[in-house]
Amino acid sequence: MFKLDSRLEITTVSKCVIDCSYCPQQVFQEAYHGCRTLSLENFKKALLSVPKNVTIHFSGFSEPFLNPECIDMIEYAHSTGYKIVIFSTLVGLKSENVKRLQICNPEEFVLHLPDNKDNAKIPITETYKDTLVTALKLLRVSYFSVMNDLFISNERAGLCLNIPKRRVHGWFYCTKLVSPQFVMLPNCDVVLCCMDFGLKHRLGNLLEQSFMDIVNSKEYKRVRDGRFKTRVGIICRKCMWAVPLYRWYGRRVLVLFKILPST
């Protein structure tokens, strides 16, 4: 079975109006050609084969609450035994639904706040303020982040604007290739991870295949094997999550692969 950090990230809508200045939203929208919003019905069908030790993240490539059925999806996932994690700006969440969210007791709730340069297009309306105050009163917020220039913790595999390009050579480690951290799109297609805004690595569809079918898919295997094959074309070699093995494990990994003796 999977490690504890295995997850399925849910992209509830195909267009994120928050449109952060550094986010490769345009890349995602050009690559995606499916329904605009994830329906509650399809969400329920998609979860049928997902193991209960896979955490359901409401995050993905867009603000989750832009889908008016997102709160219903969270309640359904919670009621069927999944752990819930939420990353949100609160845009789209109604203040009267915060209590419903509190009852679901998210394992982690990360709150993204607006900055003073409008990097994130979060409208500071009375409705937003009301929801924010209610959320701060009722929810256990795990982490706050201001969505300013310093918020860019990664380059989304080289897709963010105005960032230096990288190329990871040799063997590398990535936790996303050890424990699946897939992203499901509104049409229930599944892609590699939250760095794959260009949807280069499509692994399957949870309306047509089981979660284990996707874990065992040829494409996911090809990407995993690509850690040790430098000529395999995968986005990972452009990503900060790909850490050269000699830095991650040092001598231990060389022993593991019997390149060095254990003594």
Side-chain angles (χ1 to χ4, degrees):
M1 198 54 82
F2 309 117
K3 293 187 177 181
L4 294 178
D5 57 351
S6 297
R7 68 184 68 160
L8 179 65
E9 298 191 17
I10 310 299
T11 300
T12 66
V13 296
S14 65
K15 184 174 176 60
C16 186
V17 300
I18 309 303
D19 196 25
C20 299
S21 60
Y22 42 75
C23 178
Q25 270 296 306
Q26 190 63 33
V27 175
F28 168 55
Q29 290 163 27
E30 289 175 358
Y32 177 73
H33 304 288
C35 55
R36 183 167 182 174
T37 61
L38 172 63
S39 71
L40 177 60
E41 179 184 4
N42 281 347
F43 175 75
K44 290 179 178 180
K45 290 178 181 177
L47 251 59
L48 285 175
S49 68
V50 179
K52 290 297 191 291
N53 67 330
V54 174
T55 304
I56 305 302
H57 281 232
F58 288 86
S59 53
F61 301 139
S62 59
E63 163 57 53
F65 290 110
L66 291 174
N67 186 324
E69 291 190 302
C70 181
I71 187 68
D72 301 304
M73 297 177 196
I74 292 172
E75 286 181 329
Y76 177 78
H78 172 69
S79 69
T80 50
Y82 292 97
K83 291 182 179 178
I84 307 297
V85 169
I86 302 170
F87 287 71
S88 176
T89 64
L90 300 181
V91 174
L93 178 65
K94 297 178 180 179
S95 60
E96 58 265 31
N97 284 335
V98 176
K99 182 64 177 179
R100 294 170 63 186
L101 196 57
Q102 180 191 33
I103 294 171
C104 293
N105 190 28
E107 188 83 2
E108 184 178 0
F109 186 91
V110 177
L111 179 58
H112 297 316
L113 298 171
D115 71 324
N116 63 353
K117 294 183 180 179
D118 290 326
N119 276 306
K121 311 302 185 293
I122 300 174
I124 313 301
T125 62
E126 291 305 315
T127 299
Y128 169 78
K129 292 178 184 177
D130 187 33
T131 302
L132 177 59
V133 169
T134 306
L136 292 175
K137 287 181 179 178
L138 297 182
L139 299 179
R140 176 174 52 86
V141 179
S142 310
Y143 180 71
F144 296 91
S145 62
V146 177
M147 300 184 78
N148 54 24
D149 294 337
L150 299 177
F151 178 77
I152 307 176
S153 60
N154 58 68
E155 310 93 348
R156 279 75 176 180
L159 294 175
C160 283
L161 298 175
N162 303 317
I163 52 94
K165 303 299 181 183
R166 70 171 68 231
R167 171 72 181 177
V168 178
H169 299 278
W171 293 6
F172 67 87
Y173 173 90
C174 176
T175 186
K176 299 175 187 294
L177 299 180
V178 176
S179 297
Q181 296 184 13
F182 302 146
V183 176
M184 188 178 81
L185 308 181
N187 64 354
C188 298
D189 277 354
V190 174
V191 296
L192 179 64
C193 69
C194 60
M195 301 295 103
D196 194 4
F197 273 77
L199 313 184
K200 180 173 181 177
H201 301 300
R202 295 177 187 256
L203 309 179
N205 184 291
L206 279 171
L207 296 182
E208 302 167 359
Q209 298 154 279
S210 72
F211 189 85
M212 286 307 303
D213 287 339
I214 292 173
V215 170
N216 294 319
S217 66
K218 289 183 179 179
E219 181 64 6
Y220 190 46
K221 183 179 185 300
R222 187 180 77 87
V223 176
R224 292 199 313 269
D225 290 348
R227 292 173 291 172
F228 313 116
K229 300 177 181 179
T230 58
R231 294 185 180 181
V232 174
I234 54 177
I235 64 170
C236 311
R237 294 194 176 277
K238 300 177 182 179
C239 182
M240 67 167 293
W241 284 89
V243 181
L245 279 180
Y246 68 85
R247 277 170 44 195
W248 189 268
Y249 284 122
R251 179 184 174 86
R252 285 179 297 169
V253 77
L254 300 180
V255 171
L256 176 66
F257 286 96
K258 299 181 180 179
I259 295 172
L260 288 178
S262 57
T263 57

